[in-house]
Amino acid sequence: LHVRPKPGWKPKSGEQRAVPLSLKLYALLNSLPRQFRWVVTMPASSKYPKPGRQWTERRLLIALKKVLNAVGLSGVLHTFRHSFISRALLSGIPLSVVQEWVGHLDPTITRLYTHVHCEASQAAMARLSSSGITTQSEGRFTDP
């Protein structure tokens, strides 16, 4: 997936970047009919009956809110960004790679998006506890 500047819009970093797609998403997008410049386009409307228009951010947010309401969830588009960054880092993807994907130049900005959920925190503690390197002897941590 290529993120490129265009008239009236530029990526967060101001530079274009490439973000790899999962094989599953690549296959799905590749299977869609390609009739227009954009793979996924806005539906025709009475105001714009000609198909093939690029989604506007405003229309994308409206469509997202309808889907979220239909399934009983709350959130905004940025919720997905926070979730993606947190999941990637918790999965062991290096911070520098995640920064490249999301277009952050400063790691402190990426950390603002990172949320460690309770289950992930508990699982990490369970892994640490089962590793056997957290036993305390005479005020020092030692390897048993």
Side-chain angles (χ1 to χ4, degrees):
L1 173 72
H2 296 274
V3 180
R4 298 181 179 122
K6 65 178 187 172
W9 182 85
K10 66 179 182 173
K12 285 187 172 290
S13 66
E15 301 293 322
Q16 72 177 24
R17 65 183 183 275
V19 180
L21 299 175
S22 70
L23 294 176
K24 189 175 183 178
L25 180 56
Y26 180 81
L28 173 70
L29 291 174
N30 213 24
S31 73
L32 297 174
R34 189 72 186 260
Q35 301 173 323
F36 308 105
R37 178 177 181 196
W38 312 107
V39 176
V40 180
T41 59
M42 287 183 58
S45 66
S46 57
K47 187 175 181 180
Y48 298 101
K50 186 177 176 185
R53 290 184 340 127
Q54 179 186 9
W55 279 90
T56 64
E57 187 172 345
R58 183 174 157 271
R59 294 287 182 193
L60 186 60
L61 290 173
I62 290 169
L64 174 65
K65 287 185 181 202
K66 284 181 184 177
V67 170
L68 290 175
N69 284 335
V71 296
L73 295 174
S74 62
V76 294
L77 195 54
H78 236 64
T79 302
F80 292 95
R81 187 174 182 83
H82 284 254
S83 178
F84 175 80
I85 291 170
S86 294
R87 289 191 66 207
L89 292 172
L90 287 170
S91 296
I93 307 297
L95 177 62
S96 59
V97 173
V98 175
Q99 281 179 252
E100 178 70 26
W101 288 349
V102 299
H104 290 163
L105 301 175
D106 184 350
T108 58
I109 299 301
T110 309
R111 284 192 199 102
L112 291 175
Y113 283 85
T114 307
H115 308 284
V116 178
H117 301 284
C118 187
E119 299 85 23
S121 183
Q122 289 174 346
M125 182 56 76
R127 285 193 309 275
L128 181 63
S129 296
S130 68
S131 70
I133 60 170
T134 58
T135 58
Q136 188 174 11
S137 171
E138 301 175 350
R140 296 184 314 245
F141 289 98
T142 59
D143 200 0

